[in-house]
């Protein structure tokens, strides 16, 4: 039989692996959403990546889900850098903000 210590270590590694894969999937989804939002508004999605700023847990109708807030940079006509943010709850988009006056989410 496997000692309890080993069983707990295997469980911890499995949970860590699941969290890592889930985080990669959420990050790729966030990049795709940001890229599409920038293309839709004729903006340049700078660095082609997002940065995780906050990680928390949110209760939803489906149960507890990870709430991830990502920051990203974009540019209007190649001039300067502006910051936007995106919030995912699980793999569902909760909020996307570019901080622009014409951004319907900010109106």
């Amino acid at each position: 039989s496997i000692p309890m210590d080993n069983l707990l270590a295997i469980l911890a590694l499995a949970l860590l692996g699941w969290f890592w894969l889930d985080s990669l999937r959420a990050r790729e989804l966030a990049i795709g959403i940001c890229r599409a939002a920038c293309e839709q508004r004729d903006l340049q999605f700078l660095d082609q990546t997002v940065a995780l700023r906050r990680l928390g847990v949110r209760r939803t109708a489906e149960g507890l889900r990870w709430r991830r807030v990502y920051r990203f940079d974009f540019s209007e006509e190649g001039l300067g850098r502006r910051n936007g943010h995106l919030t995912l709850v699980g793999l569902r988009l909760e909020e996307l903000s570019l901080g622009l006056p014409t951004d319907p989410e900010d109106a």
Side-chain angles (χ1 to χ4, degrees):
S1 77
I2 300 174
M4 187 59 103
D5 295 0
N6 291 349
L7 213 51
L8 289 175
I10 291 169
L11 180 61
L13 284 174
L15 285 172
L16 255 155
W18 170 85
F19 178 74
W20 181 69
L21 289 174
D22 187 61
S23 295
L24 286 178
R25 192 167 63 174
R27 184 174 174 272
E28 287 302 313
L29 178 63
I31 290 170
I33 291 170
C34 291
R35 184 177 290 129
C38 286
E39 284 175 9
Q40 211 172 40
R41 294 165 177 86
D42 291 323
L43 302 169
Q44 292 178 5
F45 179 43
L46 301 177
D47 306 324
Q48 302 299 306
T49 193
V50 295
L52 182 66
R53 287 295 175 228
R54 268 180 291 197
L55 177 65
V57 177
R58 162 87 42 95
R59 183 178 301 279
T60 68
E62 296 85 33
L64 294 177
R65 297 287 182 255
W66 289 110
R67 181 178 183 272
R68 295 175 172 98
V69 179
Y70 295 95
R71 188 190 62 77
F72 62 96
D73 294 332
F74 65 94
S75 178
E76 299 174 271
E77 302 172 10
L79 302 172
R81 283 179 102 81
R82 296 186 64 131
N83 294 336
H85 73 271
L86 164 97
T87 304
L88 292 179
V89 175
L91 296 177
R92 184 182 57 78
L93 177 64
E94 181 181 75
E95 180 185 6
L96 170 67
S97 175
L98 299 170
L100 297 173
T102 57
D103 194 358
E105 287 86 11
D106 293 338

